[in-house]
Amino acid sequence: MNNTAALVSLATSVPPYQFRQKQILECARDLLSDRYPQFETLASLFANTGIRNRYGVKPIEWYLEQRGWPERTQAFLEGAEILFIDVVQQALARADLADEIDTVVTVCSTGIATPTLDARIAGKLGFRADISRVPVFGLGCAGGVSGLSIASRLAQARPGTNVLFVALELCTLAVRHDELTKANIVAASLFGDGAAAVVLRAGDGGATRIESSGEKLWPDTLDIMGWSVDPEGFGVIFQRTIPDFVNENMGPAVREILARMQLEHDDVDRFICHPGGTKVILALERALSLGQGTLDHEREVIADYGNMSAPTVLFVLERALAQGLPSRSLMTALGPGFTASCVSLRHAA
């Protein structure tokens, strides 16, 4: 029996409110341009991301008012619970499971809930009283890959049990009117809300298995990406340009991680990457020695949904699965730390 974890099902979901990128640009211009002289210089960021649509848990009018921690947290709890239930119900239905989940791993970095989201919705989803809960905070955009790695190892440790992995982020709730900075404009041009859920089981299950995983944590890179925290809420930190960092560092990092897996670059048939934006995708193609345009699903996902942080790479995986995976794929993502995370998938035709 093969005790590596298999993907039994995958589901994705977005909130009900759709925003066109041009609509968001006009709202940002109305809110910020009079107070931030550099806004028009940075407005081209909205067009250069490759994004057409994004989704939010609140109607766009909600974001036009100044909000503090209490309102943001209430919106997070309400929106996250609805999205969590929807995406998990889809994943469980596709796996033909009901109350048979033994472990739930929840990755989220865009809101704080104690009790955690998994506890809040346990009764509504019919989770058993003996379920193991593993909430994970702080992985950011790397959370889709790192969380899948964590969930797969938990499944492998207990063959035959069902592990549910949920990546859920409500990035739009961090919108700030008071942060008149380039980093805030970049965030306003990129991020949306979304969720993904995966059911994993070791010993049997689907044709796609988690073969191996690995990470690279760079020293002295805490300032690249993350949150600041103040009385208004989370504030985005971008101290260096991510595309430049990818160009210089991602190729060697992936080769290092693959070597620890006893693999080489040529052993990978397809890369499945977290797409940070158009420039990040181009940088990934260069760093990974891929032809321009190779990361097609990544471009489609960023265009249709924007950057949803952790779940985004699972939206890419969903499209790759629908098209048909080759023998070996490598999932990659970058996140706060600064960290590269990789998961190798082995698919049996």
Side-chain angles (χ1 to χ4, degrees):
M1 181 182 291
N2 189 334
N3 281 338
T4 57
L7 271 68
V8 180
S9 69
L10 167 63
T12 60
S13 183
V14 292
Y17 300 104
Q18 184 189 67
F19 313 133
R20 300 288 292 177
Q21 186 76 336
K22 291 181 179 178
Q23 179 187 17
I24 299 172
L25 170 58
E26 291 309 311
C27 289
R29 178 176 280 121
D30 290 344
L31 285 172
L32 302 174
S33 61
D34 289 345
R35 296 181 293 128
Y36 188 46
Q38 292 84 6
F39 180 84
E40 291 303 330
T41 303
L42 297 171
S44 61
L45 290 168
F46 286 81
N48 295 337
T49 58
I51 297 169
R52 291 190 296 265
N53 302 308
R54 285 184 272 166
Y55 292 81
V57 290
K58 291 290 186 181
I60 199 160
E61 294 78 17
W62 188 90
Y63 302 96
L64 305 184
E65 300 293 330
Q66 187 75 17
R67 307 289 178 178
W69 269 113
E71 291 170 291
R72 296 178 195 275
T73 299
Q74 187 60 36
F76 172 78
L77 294 175
E78 293 171 356
E81 287 186 25
I82 293 169
L83 198 57
F84 196 114
I85 290 169
D86 179 64
V87 76
V88 168
Q89 286 177 334
Q90 291 185 58
L92 294 180
R94 292 173 188 178
D96 197 23
L97 296 172
D99 62 349
E100 302 159 69
I101 295 299
D102 300 284
T103 303
V104 55
V105 177
T106 306
V107 165
C108 181
S109 300
T110 48
I112 298 172
T114 305
T116 53
L117 291 175
D118 45 24
R120 290 170 181 271
I121 53 76
K124 297 174 183 176
L125 286 171
F127 289 161
R128 300 195 315 265
D130 65 346
I131 192 170
S132 297
R133 298 184 296 115
V134 185
V136 183
F137 179 87
L139 295 175
C141 292
V145 177
S146 293
L148 183 62
S149 172
I150 294 167
S152 70
R153 280 177 276 152
L154 290 171
Q156 189 170 343
R158 299 167 63 197
T161 62
N162 297 309
V163 176
L164 173 67
F165 166 48
V166 181
L168 184 153
E169 303 287 8
L170 304 186
C171 306
T172 63
L173 298 181
V175 64
R176 297 287 292 264
H177 299 186
D178 57 320
E179 293 280 338
L180 302 178
T181 63
K182 180 179 179 180
N184 193 41
I185 303 300
V186 171
S189 72
L190 278 177
F191 290 106
D193 300 343
V198 179
V199 176
L200 298 161
R201 184 166 60 242
D204 59 2
T208 304
R209 295 188 171 272
I210 311 297
E211 181 180 38
S212 190
S213 62
E215 296 189 10
K216 166 79 172 185
L217 176 63
W218 284 278
D220 304 317
T221 56
L222 295 178
D223 64 341
I224 289 182
M225 178 189 291
W227 290 130
S228 63
V229 181
D230 60 38
E232 297 299 321
F234 290 126
V236 68
I237 295 173
F238 289 132
Q239 293 294 336
R240 306 188 208 175
T241 63
I242 307 301
D244 289 346
F245 188 92
V246 169
N247 276 326
E248 296 170 14
N249 298 283
M250 191 60 173
V254 168
R255 289 193 293 272
E256 178 184 324
I257 293 169
L258 284 172
R260 294 202 300 269
M261 298 176 180
Q262 298 184 321
L263 297 172
E264 297 180 355
H265 186 283
D266 290 345
D267 294 321
V268 178
D269 302 304
R270 165 135 203 146
F271 285 88
I272 297 171
C273 302
H274 168 78
T278 296
K279 290 184 177 180
V280 172
I281 294 171
L282 286 168
L284 284 167
E285 287 173 338
R286 287 193 293 268
L288 300 175
S289 302
L290 305 174
Q292 185 172 335
T294 299
L295 299 179
D296 50 351
H297 297 314
E298 287 80 354
R299 285 181 169 84
E300 293 168 3
V301 167
I302 204 74
D304 290 342
Y305 302 103
N307 184 341
M308 299 168 284
S309 190
T312 316
V313 71
L314 298 170
F315 280 65
V316 178
L317 175 59
E318 182 179 49
R319 296 192 181 206
L321 283 166
Q323 186 182 62
L325 288 180
S327 179
R328 179 179 284 118
S329 303
L330 190 75
M331 299 178 66
T332 76
L334 291 160
F338 196 60
T339 300
S341 185
C342 296
V343 163
S344 173
L345 302 177
R346 195 75 165 151
H347 183 76

